Structures are given as structure tokens and as C-alpha cells.
Amino acid sequence: AVRFEAAFRQELMLLVPSLVVAMLLPLPPVERLLLLACGIAVLVVELLNSAVEATVDRISLERHPLAGRAKDLGSAAVALTVVLFVLAWATLAGPTLLKVLRT
């Protein structure tokens, strides 16, 4: 995925620093685990989306409504997972980040 999927590389480049921050913030273990899990979920869903897209492209290069729908649904799943990641960070890490940055 790192070699062939630009979206995976981009998400990985954003995720690694956030995981480092999550490990350094003074958070309870469960909250830290949730932040890590949401980040990993983004990568997992991106891998599944890439697999769907590769399969659809392998079956036929011809445009078909169902092929387009499969790709769109995979992309929507990635988008929803990114929203979950952002909400988790805003809710769990946001207040702690603000406290750390103010001091």
C-alpha cells in the first residue's frame, strides 16, 4: 500500500505524528487507546477501499454504474472514518492539548 497508494501514504504521514502526540499527552490509557484505534481504523478502511478499487479496475476498465457505486462507497467509508478520527481527537485530546499549549 505504501508503494502503490498515494492516499494511504498521505494518511500515514498525518497519522504517525498524531500517534506520537497521543503517546506523549498525559491521557488515561483508555483514551490513548481510543485515539490510536481511530487512527489505525483510518488505515484499515483505506486498505479495504484500495482493495475494492483494485478489484473493480481488474474486472473491467469499462465504466459501469455498479463499479462507480462500489468505488464511491469505499471512499465514503474512508471519509466517515476520518470524521471519526477528527471527532475522537477533538473530544479526547483537544482539552488536554489546549492545556499543554497554554502553559
Side-chain angles (χ1 to χ4, degrees):
V2 171
R3 287 192 308 173
F4 300 112
E5 299 297 330
F8 186 84
R9 285 192 302 273
Q10 293 165 0
E11 291 159 354
L12 193 59
M13 288 187 337
L14 292 173
L15 187 65
V16 169
S18 71
L19 296 180
V20 171
V21 171
M23 296 307 290
L24 296 175
L25 283 176
L27 294 171
V30 172
E31 290 181 10
R32 182 175 292 125
L33 178 63
L34 285 170
L35 293 176
L36 298 174
C38 287
I40 292 169
V42 171
L43 296 178
V44 168
V45 175
E46 182 60 51
L47 288 170
L48 294 171
N49 180 48
S50 296
V52 167
E53 289 184 353
T55 301
V56 167
D57 290 345
R58 171 64 176 99
I59 291 170
S60 174
L61 294 177
E62 174 184 318
R63 287 197 177 265
H64 191 280
L66 291 176
R69 188 182 314 165
K71 288 182 171 190
D72 290 346
L73 291 172
S75 295
V78 173
L80 286 174
T81 310
V82 170
V83 168
L84 173 66
F85 176 80
V86 170
L87 290 174
W89 269 85
T91 303
L92 299 173
T96 303
L97 272 172
L98 288 175
K99 286 179 190 174
V100 169
L101 293 174
R102 286 183 186 161
T103 58

